[in-house]
């Protein structure tokens, strides 16, 4: 299997940029309101993402070729995993304080490291396995206070279900990330991003019978903006996988906690809880350790050449 192109700095830059734009998307969705059905949110995020994606492809003269694929089943698999993960994640985002939704989402890069080793054959050394286990402990500390509310009613029960939804979204999202890594071996970035948005838009329409809301102008505009941000971020994220391994880039997902917490405080008045802060510190520490270890290995490889 062909490896990533060997430009981890470029891959990391694309990853961090995608994190920032995805945070803008989450903010718009959160502002739209918790009463909007997740399927409707997912449709808006997917459908309106097509506009910046197709404009970008047309500008680069790749629009026609983007529809050409040698692996339609691979796109369908990636789309199915991604759309379910997206819907679950949006449910959690709409029913949890934003810092906790972001922090619980940190299970995704940890799961991605595991799946990269199991399904892609990427080399994950003992140090990174240890960091993943420690990070999972942090995720447990963040999620446990919410999970104990599962027997409650009203807002408490919604937050507990929201926490479970985000954790499930992380598992499915990790599987989707692995599928993207497989697709980039033979498919263009433009093709992967375009087909995901199309498949997600079509699949999310199936949730109409479960009830969609008639939205006022403000939430409509917010969801449209979220879709545009999602399209831009998806291009950046998919492109990042061409230049570095999943397990190398995963820790950089943690850059969202600082910006996300600031936005949550000033926009929504969300104040991080003690358990969330403790768990996040553990998860971020695990990520920083992985980054430090990878830097050491890179230096060692240069010396040996």
């Amino acid at each position: 299997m062909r490896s990533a192109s060997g430009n981890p700095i470029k891959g990391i830059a694309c990853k961090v940029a995608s994190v920032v734009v995805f945070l803008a998307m989450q903010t718009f969705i959160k502002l739209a309101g918790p009463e909007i059905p997740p399927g409707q949110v997912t449709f808006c995020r997917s459908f309106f993402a097509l506009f910046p994606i197709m404009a970008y492809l047309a500008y680069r003269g790749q629009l026609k070729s983007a529809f050409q694929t040698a692996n339609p089943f691979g796109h369908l698999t990636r789309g199915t995993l991604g759309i379910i993960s997206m819907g679950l994640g949006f449910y959690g985002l709409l029913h949890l304080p934003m810092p906790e939704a972001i922090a619980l989402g940190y299970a995704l890069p940890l799961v991605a490291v595991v799946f990269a080793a199991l399904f892609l054959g990427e080399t994950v050394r003992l140090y990174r396995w240890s960091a993943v286990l420690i990070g999972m402990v942090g995720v447990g500390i963040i999620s446990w206070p919410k999970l104990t509310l599962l027997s409650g009613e009203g807002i408490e029960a919604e937050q507990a279900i929201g926490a479970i939804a985000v954790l499930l979204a992380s598992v499915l999202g990790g599987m989707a990330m692995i599928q993207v890594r497989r697709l980039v071996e033979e498919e263009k970035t433009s093709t992967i991003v375009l087909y995901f948005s199309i498949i997600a838009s079509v699949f999310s329409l199936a949730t109409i019978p479960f009830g969609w809301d008639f939205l006022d102008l403000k939430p409509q505009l917010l969801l449209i903006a979220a879709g545009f941000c999602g399209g831009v971020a998806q291009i950046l994220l998919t492109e990042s996988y061409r230049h570095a391994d999943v397990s190398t880039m995963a820790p950089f997902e943690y850059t969202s906690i600082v910006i996300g917490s600031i936005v949550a405080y000033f926009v929504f008045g969300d104040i991080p809880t003690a358990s969330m802060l403790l768990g996040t510190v553990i998860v971020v520490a695990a990520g920083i350790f992985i980054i430090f270890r990878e830097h050491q290995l890179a230096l060692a490889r240069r010396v040996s050449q």
Side-chain angles (χ1 to χ4, degrees):
M1 184 179 68
R2 183 170 55 85
S3 60
S5 63
N7 191 344
I9 298 300
K10 187 173 182 178
I12 290 168
C14 289
K15 173 67 174 178
V16 173
S18 74
V19 167
V20 173
V21 182
F22 271 130
L23 275 173
M25 180 198 74
Q26 290 177 307
T27 301
F28 290 138
I29 291 173
K30 188 82 171 172
L31 285 170
E35 70 282 353
I36 303 175
Q40 189 172 1
V41 175
T42 303
F43 171 78
C44 292
R45 182 264 184 254
S46 304
F47 178 73
F48 291 107
L50 284 169
F51 291 89
I53 291 172
M54 295 181 75
Y56 172 77
L57 297 179
Y59 172 75
R60 299 195 61 177
Q62 299 176 349
L63 184 57
K64 183 178 180 180
S65 63
F67 283 95
Q68 300 172 357
T69 176
N71 191 358
F73 181 75
H75 289 288
L76 183 62
T77 302
R78 185 266 191 273
T80 302
L81 292 170
I83 190 64
I84 299 174
S85 174
M86 190 187 300
L88 290 169
F90 288 158
Y91 181 89
L93 176 65
L94 291 170
H95 292 87
L96 286 172
M98 191 170 176
E100 295 188 20
I102 293 173
L104 285 175
Y106 284 166
L108 193 155
L110 299 175
V111 171
V113 172
V114 177
F115 287 171
L118 294 178
F119 301 119
L120 294 181
E122 291 185 5
T123 301
V124 180
R125 301 171 181 82
L126 177 61
Y127 294 97
R128 275 195 287 184
W129 281 122
S130 301
V132 167
L133 291 175
I134 293 171
M136 287 298 186
V137 171
V139 171
I141 292 174
I142 297 167
S143 60
W144 183 249
K146 294 300 179 187
L147 298 180
T148 58
L149 300 176
L150 192 58
S151 59
E153 298 179 355
I155 295 177
E156 290 187 350
E158 288 180 351
Q159 290 193 357
I161 296 172
I164 294 173
V166 174
L167 293 175
L168 289 174
S170 296
V171 174
L172 292 174
M175 296 173 67
M177 289 173 66
I178 297 306
Q179 185 61 27
V180 171
R181 285 285 287 116
R182 288 172 171 166
L183 284 172
V184 298
E185 298 296 329
E186 56 185 10
E187 299 282 272
K188 299 185 292 292
T189 298
S190 56
T191 302
I192 296 170
V193 173
L194 182 62
Y195 272 95
F196 172 71
S197 293
I198 293 173
I199 292 171
S201 298
V202 174
F203 279 22
S204 57
L205 285 175
T207 65
I208 291 179
F210 297 98
W212 280 20
D213 293 335
F214 181 80
L215 303 179
D216 294 331
L217 180 60
K218 181 179 178 180
Q220 286 183 21
L221 293 176
L222 287 169
L223 291 181
I224 291 172
F228 271 76
C229 287
V232 174
Q234 198 67 46
I235 293 171
L236 292 167
L237 178 62
T238 305
E239 186 65 28
S240 70
Y241 295 140
R242 292 187 180 277
H243 305 290
D245 292 338
V246 172
S247 50
T248 298
M249 292 186 300
F252 290 90
E253 186 75 25
Y254 307 138
T255 57
S256 64
I257 191 60
V258 176
I259 301 174
S261 295
I262 293 173
V263 171
Y265 177 76
F266 285 103
V267 178
F268 306 106
D270 291 337
I271 301 176
T273 62
S275 60
M276 195 283 284
L277 290 174
L278 175 60
T280 302
V281 167
I282 293 174
V283 174
V284 172
I288 292 174
F289 177 80
I290 292 175
I291 296 169
F292 176 73
R293 180 60 181 169
E294 287 302 312
H295 179 66
Q296 284 187 317
L297 292 172
L299 291 176
R301 284 193 292 267
R302 292 194 193 100
V303 171
S304 62
Q305 290 177 352

